[in-house]
Amino acid sequence: MNTEAPVTKLNRTISIAPMMDWTDRHDRYFLRLISSRALLYTEMVTTGAIIHGDADRFLRFDPAEQPLALQLGGSEPDALARCAGIAEGYGYQEINLNVGCPSDRVQNGRFGACLMGEPETVADCVAAMQGATSLPVTVKTRIGIDDLDSYDYFKSFIERVAETGVSTFIIHARKAWLTGLSPKENRTIPPLDYERVYRLKQEMPELEIIINGGISSHEEIEAHLQQVDGVMIGREAYQNPYFLAEIDRRYYGADDESPERREVIEQMLPYVAREMAAGVPLNSITRHMLGLFQGRPGARAWRRHISENAHKKGADIDILTEAASKTR
């Protein structure tokens, strides 16, 4: 367990979204080398995986990843409470409840975005979680689902959950269609409605509101920060990870410069070697690094060399240095 990091008030000005199959512990270690201050989130972890599976596999992380929050998926208050208590022992600094994922698998488990239709259940869940941990409990949600998509419904949902004492809401500024759209389509097809999130903040200023959805430039971030308390970055942070290099200076007032791309690679090498020695395949780590040179000369050659070689038998950390030599 990782208990080294004390729990302090989290600065959520900039955070990186929990993304299934993307923000695993290898990706988070990599991103932390680029930004030391942005709040990182795990992939969603279900209560069943923790309670009935190998909890250490899903919850362990490198202390260097801090500040780090765990996102849980579930709808049973007792199970969520139990998992929140377990997670606190691992040293996480926040527990987040997923009320935004629209996948069929998640709906079949009766959690994720479908819970927007059950505000009482969500309130019961977060109340139980708060009773089991001293960590802050937060909620990540959409602005609506299916035909429950009016502003009045959205606000009433937030109000009910906030009655439990939860004061931080991360809001993906799109509704979700629970039938007819895939999870990927639900990230792009329902139109963004930032104004609805702004309005909620104006009418409930006591809440900490973090906005999420389609944000891919610093100009957009700065505009959002005029209206809400924080911005959560999703796909841009994965597809173009060096985007994070400006974050510490621009939003946290840091004086130290972020490492150059080649320095990030050099700093990753000991981690990669250690993980490979523990049996982790090279491409399980390098797949997260493919976008490091996005928009730079040699980006395609970097991606190609890694993609074509990292999966091969006997591949080692030299693959990364060889790939880096193809960039400028």
Side-chain angles (χ1 to χ4, degrees):
M1 294 188 183
N2 305 281
T3 57
E4 294 88 344
V7 177
T8 57
K9 180 172 174 54
L10 288 177
N11 185 326
R12 299 184 180 88
T13 303
I14 305 294
S15 55
I16 308 304
M19 293 178 279
M20 291 298 293
D21 299 321
W22 290 5
T23 50
D24 64 15
R25 61 189 182 89
H26 307 307
D27 182 50
R28 298 190 306 262
Y29 188 96
F30 168 58
L31 294 180
R32 182 57 75 214
L33 295 177
I34 304 172
S35 169
S36 65
R37 291 167 172 82
L39 175 60
L40 302 180
Y41 282 77
T42 68
E43 304 171 272
M44 180 187 68
V45 181
T46 65
T47 55
I50 296 172
I51 294 171
H52 304 297
D54 181 353
D56 197 61
R57 172 191 165 199
F58 293 102
L59 295 180
R60 67 188 173 95
F61 59 88
D62 191 293
E65 297 171 39
Q66 295 279 20
L68 179 63
L70 171 69
Q71 185 181 70
L72 288 174
S75 60
E76 295 294 332
D78 290 346
L80 285 162
R82 182 177 171 186
C83 290
I86 293 170
E88 181 167 4
Y90 273 80
Y92 287 95
Q93 296 194 27
E94 174 191 315
I95 310 294
N96 177 263
L97 179 64
N98 183 319
V99 189
C101 181
S103 77
D104 290 341
R105 181 175 67 85
V106 167
Q107 289 182 59
N108 291 337
R110 199 173 141 263
F111 56 95
C114 64
L115 288 178
M116 276 207 80
E118 302 182 41
E120 293 298 325
T121 299
V122 176
D124 290 344
C125 288
V126 296
M129 293 162 71
Q130 288 175 307
T133 179
S134 62
L135 298 177
V137 174
T138 67
V139 174
K140 187 172 190 291
T141 186
R142 296 277 186 137
I143 59 173
I145 53 170
D146 297 338
D147 295 327
L148 297 173
D149 64 351
S150 69
Y151 175 77
D152 288 343
Y153 181 82
F154 170 55
K155 184 181 180 185
S156 70
F157 173 83
I158 298 295
E159 287 176 329
R160 177 63 189 97
V161 178
E163 288 174 3
T164 66
V166 168
S167 60
T168 300
F169 291 84
I170 303 157
I171 301 171
H172 187 163
R174 304 180 198 268
K175 66 179 288 185
W177 283 107
L178 299 184
T179 57
L181 293 182
S182 68
K184 181 178 180 180
E185 290 169 330
N186 261 304
R187 292 194 296 267
T188 56
I189 291 177
L192 287 160
D193 189 351
Y194 298 133
E195 294 297 328
R196 182 174 294 192
V197 183
Y198 297 166
R199 181 180 172 186
L200 181 74
K201 176 61 183 178
Q202 291 164 1
E203 295 183 5
M204 302 187 73
E206 71 279 10
L207 298 181
E208 182 180 33
I209 301 298
I210 313 300
I211 199 165
N212 169 232
I215 302 165
S216 60
S217 73
H218 289 291
E219 292 73 24
E220 291 173 287
I221 292 174
E222 289 167 358
H224 287 305
L225 289 175
Q226 299 299 311
Q227 304 288 338
V228 294
D229 302 295
V231 172
M232 176 176 275
I233 308 298
R235 282 167 291 162
E236 187 67 18
Y238 192 83
Q239 295 166 355
N240 181 21
Y242 203 70
F243 175 82
L244 305 188
E246 285 286 302
I247 282 177
D248 293 0
R249 182 181 62 82
R250 292 180 77 143
Y251 309 109
Y252 294 90
D255 294 327
D256 49 318
E257 293 290 327
S258 294
E260 296 295 327
R261 291 172 176 84
R262 289 175 180 271
E263 292 176 307
V264 172
I265 297 168
E266 291 172 5
Q267 292 174 21
M268 276 295 291
L269 293 180
Y271 175 84
V272 176
R274 184 184 79 202
E275 290 296 315
M276 290 186 68
V280 176
L282 177 63
N283 64 340
S284 292
I285 304 172
T286 58
R287 70 187 184 96
H288 300 299
M289 301 174 66
L290 293 176
L292 181 60
F293 288 90
Q294 180 80 5
R296 301 288 297 176
R300 183 177 297 177
W302 158 265
R303 292 193 303 269
R304 182 185 299 121
H305 189 80
I306 293 174
S307 298
E308 292 178 352
N309 295 284
H311 67 281
K312 292 180 178 178
K313 184 176 181 180
D316 59 22
I317 60 175
D318 289 343
I319 298 298
L320 284 170
T321 54
E322 292 164 1
S325 71
K326 300 177 183 296
T327 66
R328 296 200 302 274

